[in-house]
Amino acid sequence: MVARLTNMEDNINIDIFSNRNGLIVFTADPIDVANHDKGIYNAVATEAQTVSDSLHHPDFGDIRLYDGQEKNYEIKYKVSIV
């Protein structure tokens, strides 16, 4: 599992699985400024990818795609009510 997003109010978990080694998380600032310090956001988006600067750090993973080469990556989500 790469990450888990939890909605504590509705008891919903979203587990994220991927064969990529990095996950970028984007959030939208809360409409209610009082919630900012509580970590409550209006939206969240995730993007599985290879760790940044991998061209300069071979141990981060190879992101090069050569002529005729194919690469496949997976990302899966599991939604559960707890």
Side-chain angles (χ1 to χ4, degrees):
M1 180 171 54
V2 175
R4 172 177 280 171
L5 303 175
T6 301
N7 177 330
M8 292 185 284
E9 186 175 305
D10 296 324
N11 296 319
I12 297 173
N13 287 335
I14 300 175
D15 296 334
I16 303 171
F17 301 87
S18 177
N19 58 353
R20 302 300 295 265
N21 63 358
L23 186 72
I24 305 300
V25 178
F26 304 93
T27 59
D29 288 334
I31 294 172
D32 182 354
V33 182
N35 286 327
H36 188 270
D37 292 335
K38 298 176 188 173
I40 299 172
Y41 298 96
N42 295 324
V44 64
T46 63
E47 181 180 306
Q49 58 181 253
T50 301
V51 175
S52 301
D53 203 23
S54 63
L55 289 175
H56 300 106
H57 301 277
D59 54 321
F60 286 2
D62 189 6
I63 62 168
R64 293 178 180 98
L65 188 62
Y66 299 99
D67 187 30
Q69 183 182 13
E70 291 184 19
K71 287 190 179 183
N72 293 300
Y73 299 100
E74 291 184 356
I75 186 167
K76 296 179 182 182
Y77 302 91
K78 177 184 174 187
V79 179
S80 57
I81 300 173
V82 292

